[in-house]
């Protein structure tokens, strides 16, 4: 949930900067974008597929899960775009795809590294070496 919320917030921040906002209420525009992005994550199944991938992913490589999530983001965004009849202009679609893919990769990479550090620290505390 932290990864997904962070992805939505980072993507909302990038989109607010790229597409503009109310000059008197930046926070409101940011929260509207974040809410819409979270709705997209839920409606397209991105939230569910990344949760399943995180639960079953046991690889040792730090970059494979973030790459999988990036691919899932692109697939689910395209599913949304086709499902609503191509509502995004081609230029806007490219911007959203690129910023979303970068956000998905960076956030899940950070989450993977943090989770690995947290589980390693927990293992070391429960099995101290004498």
């Amino acid at each position: 949930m932290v990864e997904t919320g962070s992805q939505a917030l980072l993507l909302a921040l990038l989109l607010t900067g790229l597409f503009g906002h109310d000059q008197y209420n930046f926070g409101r525009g940011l929260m509207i974008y974040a809410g819409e992005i979270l709705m997209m994550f839920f409606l397209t199944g991105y939230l569910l597929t990344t949760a399943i991938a995180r639960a079953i992913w046991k690889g040792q490589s730090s970059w494979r899960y973030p790459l999988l999530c990036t691919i899932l983001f692109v697939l689910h965004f395209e599913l949304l775009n086709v499902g609503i009849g191509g509502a995004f202009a081609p230029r806007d679609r490219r911007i959203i795809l690129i910023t979303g893919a970068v956000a998905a990769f960076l956030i899940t990479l950070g989450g993977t590294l943090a989770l690995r550090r947290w589980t390693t620290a927990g293992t070391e505390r429960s099995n101290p070496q004498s």
Side-chain angles (χ1 to χ4, degrees):
M1 292 303 292
V2 172
E3 279 182 4
T4 304
S6 298
Q7 284 180 37
L9 195 58
L10 180 59
L11 186 55
L13 184 63
L14 293 169
L15 293 177
T16 302
L18 289 170
F19 293 125
H21 56 86
D22 179 3
Q23 65 184 16
Y24 301 108
N25 202 344
F26 176 80
R28 182 173 181 263
L30 182 66
M31 289 301 116
I32 289 171
Y33 273 124
E36 290 172 352
I37 292 165
L38 285 172
M39 186 173 293
M40 180 203 81
F41 285 174
F42 179 74
L43 291 175
T44 64
Y46 176 75
L47 182 61
L48 179 63
T49 56
T50 55
I52 291 169
R54 172 61 83 189
I56 63 174
W57 191 259
K58 303 292 182 203
Q60 294 299 316
S61 178
S62 297
W63 60 270
R64 287 185 183 165
Y65 172 72
L67 182 62
L68 174 64
C69 286
T70 303
I71 292 167
L72 286 171
F73 175 83
V74 170
L75 291 174
H76 286 281
F77 179 76
E78 287 300 321
L79 174 74
L80 172 74
N81 193 46
V82 168
I84 59 177
F88 301 102
R91 179 183 178 277
D92 294 343
R93 196 171 95 233
R94 258 191 321 273
I95 289 171
I96 295 169
L97 273 174
I98 292 169
T99 56
V102 168
F105 186 82
L106 292 176
I107 295 295
T108 54
L109 180 62
T112 298
L113 295 174
L115 185 61
R116 184 169 289 156
R117 176 177 281 168
W118 182 57
T119 55
T120 303
T123 304
E124 290 171 359
R125 278 194 299 260
S126 65
N127 296 328
Q129 302 272 336
S130 299

